Amino acid sequence: MPQHNAFYAQSGGVTAVINASACGVIEAVREHGDQIGKLYAGHNGIIGALTEDLIDVSQESDENIAALRHTPGGAFGSCRYKLKSIEDHRTQYERLIEVFKAHDIRYFFYNGGGDSADTCLKVSQLAETMGYPIQAIHVPKTVDNDLPITDNSPGFGSVAKYIATSTREAGLDIASMCATSTKVFILEVMGRHAGWIAAAGALAGEDATQPPHIVVFPEVAFHRKDFMARVDQCVKDHGYCVVVVSEGARYEDGTFLADAGNTDAFGHRQLGGVAPTLAGMVKQDLGYKYHWAVADYLQRAARHIASKTDVEQAYATGRAAVEMALAGKNAVMPAIRRLGDGADYAWDIIEAPLEQIANHEKFMPLEFISEDGFYITDACRQYLSPLIQGEDFPPFVNGLPAVARLTLAKVEKKLTPFSI
């Protein structure tokens, strides 16, 4: 049986554990050297494939690859670039085939979220649409936890742990100073359409009498009067109020509280900062002294406090992607299946069809949000809690976490340049 080569790339916003998935893919490929030839990584995602900007992963040592498991960011570079349909941009697909042929690539592993799943699905159809045999497997990744079918998305558990931890610690800070200083603290977290990360902030306390006292979800229409009444009552009851708000909080008509008026490369609205927007409302309506913070990239880069469960699942999905490809699968994604909860929490990996994942989003079920819309339910807590369990601390050198430093050796180009 002839050995063909493989391509791996990372796409979209990176996470604390996307490199753990890369580690899983690479180590599995190396273990199957009798079936897969070389593994090339695309520099900056699918753009690396289009521009023939390939990295020879075989030049990396086993030690460096193992270190990816505790290294945040995207080791091979990521991108926000969505392939258009073959009808709209046939030349892109012709170029992909040209690059794949030039480097004998027959396996395609794409590590990303929902939009990346769409790209992977389109590549998987090259055999049908363009006559080129390739197997495309999507490796799940997104802090937003909005991929369907899979119980949870690799990357989410670690950001959930970071936000819950930060909320608990910041809550203690505010509580200690509220008598003479800040009364309201607002933490903005990621989550454009789904409030999973904001919900995870509620794990910081046992109930709404402990920080965070209020959670603002994208799934629940924002009403300023109701929010202010809740904040005011919280300050009167506890002396202070801690709020976790999703960046995608919106009004009844769907308008984001912090719409900046721009769109990103995937066509998503660019949001301009809901925390300062809410803080300004609090100052205007209630007059309380406030502070706000935006977790931003810190929440998705915090590998030092990653969830062990998340790291293990990210690595496992990477390995499973290779096993699925070798089993002849195409247009699928390794998905996490929950087998138990609480002390009996367990999981395994199942196969999910990409056509049911690409361009679909999983929102928080209404039964996960309290009736008043400002907190989580016990069912939500039961779902979230196992995902933040365990610690997988990276090694530390000179007081700082050690990370992989790859050589990123480039593959010699064989084709003429291509502009995207």
Side-chain angles (χ1 to χ4, degrees), residues 212-233:
H213 308 97
I214 299 173
V215 180
V216 180
F217 303 97
E219 290 88 350
V220 179
F222 179 79
H223 296 281
R224 182 167 176 166
K225 183 178 179 181
D226 294 342
F227 175 75
M228 291 304 162
R230 185 66 172 257
V231 171
D232 193 34
Q233 189 61 53

Side-chain angles (χ1 to χ4, degrees), residues 260-279:
N262 305 311
T263 59
D264 66 14
F266 285 146
H268 302 144
R269 300 295 293 179
Q270 290 282 75
L271 305 183
V274 69
T277 299
L278 277 184

Side-chain angles (χ1 to χ4, degrees), residues 51-73:
T51 60
E52 201 188 2
D53 190 3
L54 306 178
I55 296 165
D56 186 354
V57 180
S58 69
Q59 299 299 309
E60 306 294 345
S61 67
D62 289 344
E63 292 75 20
N64 254 354
I65 296 305
L68 286 176
R69 187 166 171 144
H70 57 75
T71 301

Side-chain angles (χ1 to χ4, degrees), residues 266-317:
F266 285 146
H268 302 144
R269 300 295 293 179
Q270 290 282 75
L271 305 183
V274 69
T277 299
L278 277 184
M281 293 181 187
V282 168
K283 181 67 174 177
Q284 184 178 40
D285 293 5
L286 302 176
Y288 289 131
K289 185 174 181 179
Y290 63 81
H291 267 82
W292 56 267
V294 181
D296 202 41
Y297 286 4
L298 300 179
Q299 64 199 298
R300 74 185 197 195
R303 179 58 184 82
H304 65 286
I305 194 169
S307 155
K308 183 178 181 181
T309 299
D310 193 28
V311 174
E312 291 175 346
Q313 291 177 341
Y315 180 79
T317 54

Side-chain angles (χ1 to χ4, degrees), residues 363-377:
F363 302 105
M364 280 188 59
L366 290 180
E367 59 265 29
F368 279 12
I369 301 173
S370 63
E371 192 172 339
D372 62 14
F374 287 124
Y375 203 67
I376 65 171
T377 62

Side-chain angles (χ1 to χ4, degrees), residues 72-356:
F76 301 104
S78 188
C79 70
R80 292 193 184 279
Y81 189 86
K82 189 172 182 178
L83 290 177
K84 298 180 176 65
S85 69
I86 191 169
E87 293 79 17
D88 293 335
H89 213 319
R90 187 178 182 85
T91 55
Q92 281 190 330
Y93 295 89
E94 292 173 342
R95 174 62 175 188
L96 284 176
I97 290 175
E98 189 180 23
V99 173
F100 292 163
K101 280 183 177 179
H103 298 277
D104 192 24
I105 293 169
R106 297 289 184 90
Y107 303 102
F108 181 91
F109 303 106
Y110 210 43
N111 202 170
D115 289 308
S116 307
D118 176 74
T119 294
C120 193
L121 179 61
K122 287 169 178 169
V123 170
S124 76
Q125 296 166 343
L126 285 178
E128 179 182 341
T129 59
M130 307 280 288
Y132 183 79
I134 193 162
Q135 292 167 247
I137 312 294
H138 185 245
V139 185
K141 174 274 327 172
T142 176
V143 297
D144 293 328
N145 200 40
D146 58 359
L147 289 175
I149 301 181
T150 186
D151 175 74
N152 57 282
S153 303
F156 171 68
S158 293
V159 77
K161 190 180 185 81
Y162 175 85
I163 291 300
T165 300
S166 297
T167 302
R168 173 172 287 187
E169 293 173 341
L172 293 170
D173 185 300
I174 303 303
S176 66
M177 297 294 294
C178 67
T180 58
S181 186
T182 301
K183 300 287 188 186
V184 179
F185 174 70
I186 301 170
L187 177 63
E188 176 182 329
V189 302
M190 290 179 172
R192 183 181 306 273
H193 299 127
W196 295 105
I197 300 176
L203 295 177
E206 294 181 4
D207 53 44
T209 65
Q210 299 175 359
H213 308 97
I214 299 173
V215 180
V216 180
F217 303 97
E219 290 88 350
V220 179
F222 179 79
H223 296 281
R224 182 167 176 166
K225 183 178 179 181
D226 294 342
F227 175 75
M228 291 304 162
R230 185 66 172 257
V231 171
D232 193 34
Q233 189 61 53
C234 185
V235 172
K236 289 173 179 173
D237 291 344
H238 308 292
Y240 67 106
C241 180
V242 173
V243 179
V244 174
V245 56
S246 172
E247 64 178 348
R250 66 195 69 200
Y251 294 105
E252 192 89 56
D253 64 359
T255 304
F256 290 114
L257 269 66
D259 192 334
N262 305 311
T263 59
D264 66 14
F266 285 146
H268 302 144
R269 300 295 293 179
Q270 290 282 75
L271 305 183
V274 69
T277 299
L278 277 184
M281 293 181 187
V282 168
K283 181 67 174 177
Q284 184 178 40
D285 293 5
L286 302 176
Y288 289 131
K289 185 174 181 179
Y290 63 81
H291 267 82
W292 56 267
V294 181
D296 202 41
Y297 286 4
L298 300 179
Q299 64 199 298
R300 74 185 197 195
R303 179 58 184 82
H304 65 286
I305 194 169
S307 155
K308 183 178 181 181
T309 299
D310 193 28
V311 174
E312 291 175 346
Q313 291 177 341
Y315 180 79
T317 54
R319 289 192 65 91
V322 176
E323 299 292 346
M324 289 178 183
L326 291 175
K329 304 296 183 180
N330 185 34
V332 297
M333 182 190 85
I336 299 163
R337 177 173 60 178
R338 183 177 296 224
L339 301 175
D341 272 311
D344 297 322
Y345 176 70
W347 56 274
D348 66 1
I349 301 292
I350 59 172
E351 180 186 304
L354 269 186
E355 60 186 11
Q356 295 180 25

Side-chain angles (χ1 to χ4, degrees), residues 12-34:
V14 294
T15 76
V17 300
I18 187 173
N19 286 334
S21 290
C23 178
V25 169
I26 297 166
E27 290 187 345
V29 167
R30 290 185 174 185
E31 289 173 17
H32 293 283
D34 58 329

